[in-house]
């Protein structure tokens, strides 16, 4: 452990409250700038979106889990790696996530908060806000028209997204399709212009294949490689798929 990673002595402040938790586990971060880093994951259940390809449907399409005390979650994270990932679902729907994040930061943990960027939460603090804005292909028109209309209305909130990026250290992760790449890139570029993302900040913008098959990922990476080189994006790896496959708890 380096000097920068030394945890402070003494207990963190006491916590009260609960969160609906779908799963918690220790693994390696599979995506984004911290890929490969051992991390404790807390996945809340509940989401305001319904992505057609959602990779955690037990938090959205069919939410499940149990009410869990924040103190219990803090103890779980205290027993694990320094890095903690608070994810979902949509964690920012729950004010209690801000209290948990502040507690973990005070205890010396590095906190990544994963969100779709459609919700503002007062009092939120984190080391990294990992934002995955949803592109048009996420809307489930063929699956549930009523949910699709709601999802389409909510999936992009540029004003909220801009406010989140201004308030926190951030990375952007865009799920894109190798077989419809140009349409997705056009949408990504339009959003980056709306957010006034500088060219030098594109190293914080990841293009991640919409793919949960180990064999197909290689081809998807190959399709994204020249785009990343040309436009200055980062290739978004899906390490957990390579190691474990598409299964919960990873």
């Amino acid at each position: 452990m380096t000097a920068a990673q030394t945890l402070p002595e003494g207990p963190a402040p006491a916590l009260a409250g609960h969160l609906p938790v779908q799963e918690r586990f220790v693994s390696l971060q599979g995506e984004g700038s911290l890929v490969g880093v051992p991390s404790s994951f807390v996945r809340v259940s509940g989401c305001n979106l319904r992505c057609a390809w959602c990779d955690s449907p037990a938090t959205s399409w069919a939410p499940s889990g149990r009410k869990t005390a924040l103190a219990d979650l803090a103890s779980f994270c205290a027993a694990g790696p320094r890095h903690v990932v608070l994810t979902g679902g949509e964690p920012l729907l729950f004010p209690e996530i801000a209290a948990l994040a502040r507690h973990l930061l005070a205890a010396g943990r590095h906190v990544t908060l994963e969100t779709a960027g459609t919700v503002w939460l007062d009092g939120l603090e984190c080391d990294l806000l990992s934002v995955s804005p949803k592109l048009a292909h996420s809307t489930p028109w063929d699956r549930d028209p009523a949910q699709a209309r709601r999802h389409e209305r909510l999936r992009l909130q540029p004003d909220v997204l801009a406010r989140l990026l201004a308030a926190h250290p951030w990375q952007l992760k865009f799920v894109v399709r190798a077989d419809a790449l140009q349409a997705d890139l056009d949408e990504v570029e339009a959003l980056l212009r709306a957010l006034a993302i500088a060219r030098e900040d594109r190293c914080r913008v990841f293009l991640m294949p919409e793919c949960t098959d180990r064999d197909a990922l290689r081809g998807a990476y190959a399709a994204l490689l020249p785009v990343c080189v040309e436009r200055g994006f980062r290739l978004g790896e899906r390490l957990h798929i390579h190691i474990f496959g598409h299964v919960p708890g990873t």
Side-chain angles (χ1 to χ4, degrees):
M1 181 176 288
T2 66
Q5 294 174 323
T6 301
L7 306 184
E9 296 182 359
L15 268 179
H18 298 78
L19 278 168
V21 174
Q22 196 272 323
E23 61 178 352
R24 56 184 177 177
F25 56 92
V26 174
S27 187
L28 301 180
Q29 173 60 275
E31 300 174 354
S33 59
L34 295 174
V35 67
V37 175
S39 304
S40 299
F41 291 78
V42 175
R43 186 183 302 280
V44 300
S45 184
C47 191
N48 58 337
L49 302 180
R50 295 293 184 271
C51 294
W53 38 258
C54 178
D55 61 2
S56 55
T59 69
S60 58
W61 285 96
S64 64
R66 69 182 185 88
K67 187 177 180 181
T68 306
L70 297 187
D72 185 23
L73 296 174
S75 295
F76 165 74
C77 295
R82 176 175 176 263
H83 284 74
V84 176
V85 181
L86 305 179
T87 186
E90 177 47 74
L92 299 194
L93 292 175
F94 305 96
E96 294 83 0
I97 207 77
L100 178 60
R102 290 194 302 270
H103 179 95
L104 294 172
L105 290 168
R109 262 46 193 178
H110 179 286
V111 177
T112 297
L113 199 297
E114 298 189 337
T115 175
T118 65
V119 180
W120 174 263
L121 178 59
D122 286 333
L124 181 67
E125 298 177 25
C126 61
D127 293 291
L128 177 63
L129 192 71
S130 183
V131 189
S132 182
K134 307 311 178 192
L135 302 181
H137 64 80
S138 68
T139 305
W141 294 113
D142 295 336
R143 182 169 177 176
D144 186 325
Q147 292 279 18
R149 288 190 292 272
R150 182 174 185 273
H151 176 96
E152 184 65 20
R153 185 176 73 252
L154 295 175
R155 67 178 176 84
L156 284 180
Q157 302 293 325
D159 291 344
V160 173
L161 185 50
R163 189 180 178 194
L164 287 168
L165 299 188
H168 306 286
W170 58 267
Q171 65 183 15
L172 290 172
K173 297 189 301 183
F174 290 98
V175 175
V176 297
R177 303 162 295 172
D179 61 349
L181 189 51
Q182 190 57 55
D184 292 347
L185 288 174
D186 289 346
E187 194 173 354
V188 168
E189 294 283 9
L191 182 57
L192 295 182
R193 286 193 298 272
L195 294 171
I197 300 297
R199 180 78 186 188
E200 58 267 25
D201 282 332
R202 287 188 171 219
C203 61
R204 294 194 271 172
V205 179
F206 292 78
L207 301 183
M208 191 168 64
E210 189 222 317
C211 183
T212 56
D213 179 80
R214 291 169 173 153
D215 296 331
L217 273 172
R218 182 175 180 179
Y221 292 149
L224 289 174
L225 189 152
V227 173
C228 291
V229 170
E230 177 185 352
R231 305 192 186 204
F233 298 129
R234 289 179 68 174
L235 178 63
E237 190 175 352
R238 307 203 74 186
L239 179 63
H240 55 299
I241 301 294
H242 292 295
I243 298 175
F244 306 106
H246 183 42
V247 295
T250 59

